[in-house]
Amino acid sequence: MSAVEVEPVIEVKASTASSVKSFLSGGFGGMAAVLVGQPFDLVKVRLQTSEGVYKNTFDCFKQIIKKDGVLGLYRGMATPLASITPIFAVSFWSYDLGKKMAYGFRGEQTGVAKELTLAELTFAGAFSAVPTTLFMAPSERVKVLMQIQGQGGEQKYKGPLDVVRQLYKEGGVRSIFRGTGATLLRDSPGSAAYFVAYELVKKSLTPAGTRPEDLSFGAVLFAGGMAGVAMWTIAIPPDVLKSRLQSAPAGTYNGLVDCLQKTIKADGPAALFKGLGPAMLRAFPANAATFLGVEYSMRAMNLVF
């Protein structure tokens, strides 16, 4: 067999291994993100979906702990822990695929090509949100309903599976996937900022003569944290709309634009930035943990295959 015939097989294996590693490392990163970020995410959603209940971010933390104890900050965590792990796996796999597509547009192979430009990284990051949204939107719908349930009144849902059952009974698959457009609107530009910021910060912290893959523990934490800050700096307005769409009773809004109009009419433009405080408090530690999980699991897998 000639070398020409063998070469494509080697390239396919390398590509497959890269995809598998990206998928698995993303899953490890997702687990780390949930464990660190859940309390901040709960507070963000409570602030976005309630009116006049909490004075500010810290008052929300205080009221939750007073009513439900510290464990109350982890209300609704079962859904993201079970779903964010595969969702982050899909996200990092999709980002890897987006980068391969960018190389493909050049007509170059990933193993021998020059590094991607800023525009190409932006494309790969934005593309990563497309497959991810198919999993993220229903997960977020269930999570939001579980998180706001603790604010008082009727305990409508017994757990995540009961949420899915009741949503399907009320409106079918369409009800379960409510807020998909808003989720994509949040995550496509947000993911572009997320991955580009990480790549740029990582590159800036890389000493001359070394590889970005060999960054220190602290450098990975900082780059990951800054990636999270970059994402949430632009993602809050669509996130507010997503939370309202997904938590409101059926018929409250006729769609994303109607939700935007009614939100601004009722509460003014400032309403689009509700939850910014806890989102930014969460952004750095949760995403520092995410990329730490991703990078170190990737290094471990590179030793194996």
Side-chain angles (χ1 to χ4, degrees):
M1 184 178 292
S2 68
V4 174
E5 295 174 315
V6 175
E7 187 176 359
V9 178
I10 295 173
E11 189 63 39
V12 170
K13 285 183 178 179
S15 177
T16 302
S18 170
S19 297
V20 170
K21 290 175 186 178
S22 296
F23 184 85
L24 294 176
S25 64
F28 283 112
M31 286 188 284
V34 173
L35 293 173
V36 173
Q38 174 64 17
F40 301 102
D41 191 62
L42 173 68
V43 170
K44 173 179 69 68
V45 170
R46 293 279 183 92
L47 287 171
Q48 290 174 340
T49 58
S50 62
E51 293 296 334
V53 178
Y54 310 108
K55 297 176 183 177
N56 50 46
T57 298
F58 294 102
D59 182 57
C60 186
F61 269 110
K62 186 173 71 174
Q63 288 196 42
I64 292 171
I65 293 172
K66 182 178 179 180
K67 181 180 179 182
D68 300 319
V70 174
L71 291 180
L73 293 171
Y74 288 87
R75 180 185 289 272
M77 192 178 77
T79 301
L81 193 58
S83 60
I84 290 297
T85 300
I87 285 171
F88 269 61
V90 171
S91 176
F92 278 82
W93 171 81
S94 300
Y95 178 55
D96 183 66
L97 177 60
K99 290 193 290 184
K100 290 174 181 174
M101 290 170 64
Y103 281 121
F105 296 150
R106 293 179 176 181
E108 296 178 346
Q109 298 295 330
T110 58
V112 296
K114 298 178 182 178
E115 64 181 31
L116 293 174
T117 65
L118 184 62
E120 289 168 331
L121 289 173
T122 301
F123 161 77
F127 170 79
S128 72
V130 178
T132 307
T133 296
L134 297 175
F135 300 91
M136 180 70 82
S139 169
E140 290 275 296
R141 172 86 155 123
V142 173
K143 182 197 72 175
V144 166
L145 289 174
M146 287 296 297
Q147 287 179 330
I148 66 170
Q149 181 169 255
Q151 293 180 130
E154 178 189 2
Q155 297 292 301
K156 185 176 180 181
Y157 306 110
K158 297 176 183 178
L161 292 179
D162 187 47
V163 175
V164 174
R165 183 182 63 80
Q166 291 196 44
L167 289 178
Y168 185 79
K169 185 177 180 181
E170 292 168 5
V173 174
R174 185 184 182 91
S175 179
I176 296 172
F177 279 82
R178 187 200 295 175
T180 298
T183 303
L184 184 60
L185 182 64
R186 178 194 70 177
D187 288 352
S188 190
S191 294
Y194 185 65
F195 286 110
V196 168
Y198 182 70
E199 298 285 2
L200 291 179
V201 174
K202 188 167 71 167
K203 184 177 180 180
S204 71
L205 295 175
T206 304
T210 62
R211 302 181 308 162
E213 292 79 9
D214 298 327
L215 279 182
S216 67
F217 182 91
V220 171
L221 284 176
F222 181 74
M226 293 308 296
V229 171
M231 175 180 177
W232 284 104
T233 297
I234 64 174
I236 277 293
D239 187 62
V240 170
L241 298 179
K242 179 199 71 67
S243 293
R244 294 196 174 202
L245 278 168
Q246 293 183 325
S247 64
T252 303
Y253 304 111
N254 293 323
L256 182 61
V257 175
D258 184 52
C259 180
L260 173 62
Q261 292 172 338
K262 288 181 176 178
T263 297
I264 294 177
K265 184 178 180 180
D267 304 312
L272 295 174
F273 293 90
K274 279 192 171 184
L276 178 62
M280 296 308 286
L281 286 174
R282 173 187 181 275
F284 194 96
N287 291 288
T290 298
F291 278 99
L292 192 68
V294 169
E295 290 285 358
Y296 279 83
S297 62
M298 181 70 78
R299 292 180 191 185
M301 286 185 285
N302 285 338
L303 297 175
V304 178
F305 63 99

